[in-house]
Amino acid sequence: MRPICAPVMTATLTFAVPKGRILEEALPLMARAGIVPEAGFHDKKNRSLSFACEDPSMRIIRVRAFDVATFVAHGAAHAGIVGSDVIEEFDYPDLYAPVDLGIGYCRLSIAEPKEGTAGEADNASHMRVATKYPNLTRRWFEAKGIQAECVKLNGAMELAPSLGLATRIVDLVSTGTTLRENGLVETAELLPVSARLIVNRAALKTHPERLGALIDSFRALAAEPKAA
């Protein structure tokens, strides 16, 4: 289904960023690309979601990672930064992801109890999986001939197997520490994940110079050699 909202047509470009770890890694890149938020953005007590920038022609909105893709795809923001996991999960046709920023590395993986799942054969044709990525999860299991019944959770995924809500989980994994502390082991990787610059396709046509310059800036920064 295509987004129903037309892109925002204003003189101010709106840039969406996710809360959390990706944002901390993205801020230095954003600053070098000329996107520097006002001081209030860094105030932990500030609950605002929209902020001015040093460049008066831009503003930043700070939302949940999954919402970054939706804001940009529906034209409420012109561009933003989000993990490739979110891009793949929604698969919005109006999202253009021209730059892999080389930050926010992790992986989307399947995990199950360390002692295995009691009563479930390895060749089972049906599994109940707890995840906030139902589309990616179903597609991955379907490719293996397994029907995945997805239980949608937005957090505390690791509790699902021990409480009988699901036999497996699909979630982002970085170090694997949280899995181990909850008696789970990683059994397969669905896809590697990194942060991407995303742009609304229609906005790129209405603001070609400004968004084109932004893409070029981030592309140049991403191409720089990383410190050892």
Side-chain angles (χ1 to χ4, degrees):
M1 180 181 296
R2 294 180 65 83
I4 59 175
C5 300
V8 177
M9 303 301 181
T10 65
T12 302
L13 289 185
T14 300
F15 194 84
V17 296
K19 302 174 181 179
R21 182 174 62 91
I22 286 181
L23 178 57
E24 296 304 313
E25 295 186 56
L27 281 171
L29 284 178
M30 289 165 53
R32 294 179 64 193
I35 307 174
V36 181
E38 61 179 298
F41 182 89
H42 304 286
D43 183 353
K44 300 297 184 183
K45 297 180 180 179
N46 193 329
R47 300 303 178 189
S48 297
L49 301 176
S50 180
F51 301 87
C53 292
E54 288 185 0
D55 178 350
S57 70
M58 295 198 72
R59 69 169 175 168
I60 292 178
I61 60 171
R62 182 171 56 196
V63 296
R64 294 181 183 274
F66 271 47
D67 294 335
V68 170
T70 301
F71 272 90
V72 176
H74 286 262
H78 300 87
I81 291 174
V82 75
S84 55
D85 56 313
V86 177
I87 298 170
E88 295 291 336
E89 172 65 18
F90 286 102
D91 195 25
Y92 285 124
D94 286 320
L95 273 190
Y96 173 46
V99 185
D100 184 337
L101 298 173
I103 59 174
Y105 286 116
C106 56
R107 58 195 179 275
L108 186 65
S109 294
I110 300 170
E112 64 179 75
K114 186 176 182 180
E115 65 277 8
T117 306
E120 185 177 88
D122 290 338
N123 61 352
S125 61
H126 177 277
M127 291 182 184
R128 180 182 289 176
V129 185
T131 184
K132 61 179 177 180
Y133 301 92
N135 295 323
L136 282 168
T137 298
R138 289 191 190 99
R139 291 201 297 266
W140 191 89
F141 277 103
E142 282 174 3
K144 297 185 175 301
I146 300 171
Q147 179 186 356
E149 177 188 348
C150 293
V151 179
K152 182 75 183 301
L153 291 178
N154 292 314
M157 214 76 61
E158 296 81 8
L159 290 174
S162 64
L163 296 179
L165 184 60
T167 58
R168 286 164 174 77
I169 70 170
V170 169
D171 201 11
L172 292 180
V173 177
S174 181
T175 64
T177 299
T178 304
L179 293 179
R180 290 191 294 272
E181 290 179 348
N182 286 277
L184 302 176
V185 291
E186 189 176 356
T187 57
E189 179 180 314
L190 273 69
L191 77 159
V193 175
S194 60
R196 310 295 172 91
L197 174 71
I198 58 173
V199 179
N200 178 279
R201 291 184 184 277
L204 186 56
K205 295 178 181 178
T206 56
H207 302 279
E209 293 186 2
R210 296 177 67 188
L211 287 174
L214 196 65
I215 291 170
D216 289 343
S217 294
F218 277 106
R219 184 172 284 134
L221 291 169
E224 290 181 353
K226 301 295 187 293

